[in-house]
Amino acid sequence: MADSSTTALSALDGRMFIDGQRTGSRSGATFEAVDPATGRVFAQVALGDKSDVDAAVAAARKAVEQGWAGLPPVRRVRLLNRLAGLLRERTRELAELESLDVGKPLRQAEDDVAAAAGYFEYFAGVADKVFGSSIPLGQGFVDFTLREPLGISAQIVPWNYPLRLASRGIAPALAAGNAVVAKPAAEAGLSIVRLAELAVEAGLPAGVFNVVTGGRETGAALASHPGINHITFTGSVPTGVAIMKAAADNVVPVTLELGGKSPNVVFGDADLERAAASSASTLMQNAAQTCTAPTRLLLERPAHDRFVDLLAKRIRAIRLGRGLDNPDMGPVVSERQMHRVLGYITAGSRDGATAVTGGARAQDGELAAGYFIEPTLLDRVERGSVLEQEEIFGPVLTVTTFESLDEAIAIANGTPYGLVTGVWTKDLSKAMTVASAVKSGQVRVNGYSVEGSIGLPFGGYRRSGFGREQGVEALASYTQIKNIMINFGSG
Ligand code: NAD
């Protein structure tokens, strides 16, 4: 690691960030941060409890009352742009921290820092454009709406893209004039503490952005805190349900960004080379621990053999290694996650799936110490089987074949999730038929990633959640509407 990241790491050791300061937990308790590539402990993390959450919420409340919410929006524009600039300047440091913590290749961690900066730039651009509307009531009246901040937004973040996903929610929350208390995942989230520290360096007032580190109980203490006004939760469905129940007790709105089991529908007329390259990169990208990962391949029967061949060749060329060494693919985040994913592969083989390539823990040489899984392609996956239905969240692609457009749509819609659908075809009519029939928040045709995706509203249908992040639509989650009616006539 470079000197800057080593220094950042030692400064973060055992610290969270409350009221503009690094601070240990009030109880003094800590837990271990483990490098998933080696299984070694590399830092201690403060274990926050209810008293730390109380302190963070109090600091956020003070910041709101001392004027953050009422600041001329153009000042928030400058502050958020400055924060984005600091993120870009510190790319290497932050990416090394993220790579060490999550295990992802350094290049991908750098992309995450760029995306985080992109969120702050995008919402800096929006901060002074939080428009209301005017509603005609006739002579003698004026009626208009204001979009006001909610107050304190609690942001509960998963481990797979700590910096990127925290920024996705925190940037619009701050842009709209809310204060934030964030709770990263226990498995990985040190970069979020560093982000809060950089926010203060950028000039954000103390207390506007606080971070309480810890696990499930810390998250539960934040979600049920009577002082918060909103929750953005990104994570698994069961936790999302628990959070919604906690929010109900305090009657606060929630934005739920939950899991996915995204189908990738490949028709016989598609550019199979491009589709196969995209599928291989799905595996490499954060070892497919990505909510949007199109891990459920639906192949039109005539394209099956050629596509599987093309993809298997690419998968066999994937180089595994420690994230900091910039391999094609890193380990999964934890020992627990590794066993969970391997368990799915075993269950799949019992149900008749066959491994075209991969299918086991990767244990060559130095890999044996870490939590590496061979990039895996499983063919002949039965419709309705566990493998086809449940989110695996690891480097495993499953293949199911279809014979007709209707069957493809039925399989695509055949899980409780609805985050993203991928479609590959040269036939626009087929693409649009699938796009309009699938129950998912996004559809991506002939390409899964695109520059500028921050501007595209993102969120789930069905059990993948509700509310939208990204794009100007995200502001709806972070503001409430006040209607003001004025009777200035004599009647
Ligand atoms: P998780 O649900 O286990 O945990 C997410 C966060 O919630 C963590 O910070 C955790 O400490 C906290 N938490 C756990 N129990 C809690 C409780 N009872 N109350 C409050 N907080 C609690 O999820 P994970 O394993 O960290 O992340 C993986 C999941 O996240 C996958 O399902 C993935 O699809 C989903 N995800 C969704 C998106 C999206 O945008 N839709 C993005 C990334 C990940």
Side-chain angles (χ1 to χ4, degrees), residues 95-120:
E96 286 185 353
L97 195 57
E98 197 84 317
S99 173
L100 186 64
D101 216 3
V102 188
K104 63 180 68 188
L106 194 57
R107 198 178 321 106
Q108 294 177 14
E110 285 172 354
D111 288 347
D112 288 357
V113 181
Y119 281 117
F120 284 100

Side-chain angles (χ1 to χ4, degrees), residues 28-40:
T30 57
F31 61 100
E32 293 174 338
V34 175
D35 173 356
T38 61
R40 279 200 293 267

Side-chain angles (χ1 to χ4, degrees), residues 256-282:
L256 293 183
E257 295 287 1
L258 307 180
K261 185 75 180 168
S262 296
N264 206 9
V265 185
V266 183
F267 287 95
D269 69 339
D271 182 336
L272 296 186
E273 285 277 4
R274 271 184 56 211
S278 168
S279 277
S281 67
T282 291

Side-chain angles (χ1 to χ4, degrees), residues 458-473:
F458 173 80
Y461 274 33
R462 306 201 282 186
R463 287 177 85 81
S464 290
F466 53 79
R468 291 293 174 267
E469 297 281 17
Q470 302 187 164
V472 287
E473 284 80 356

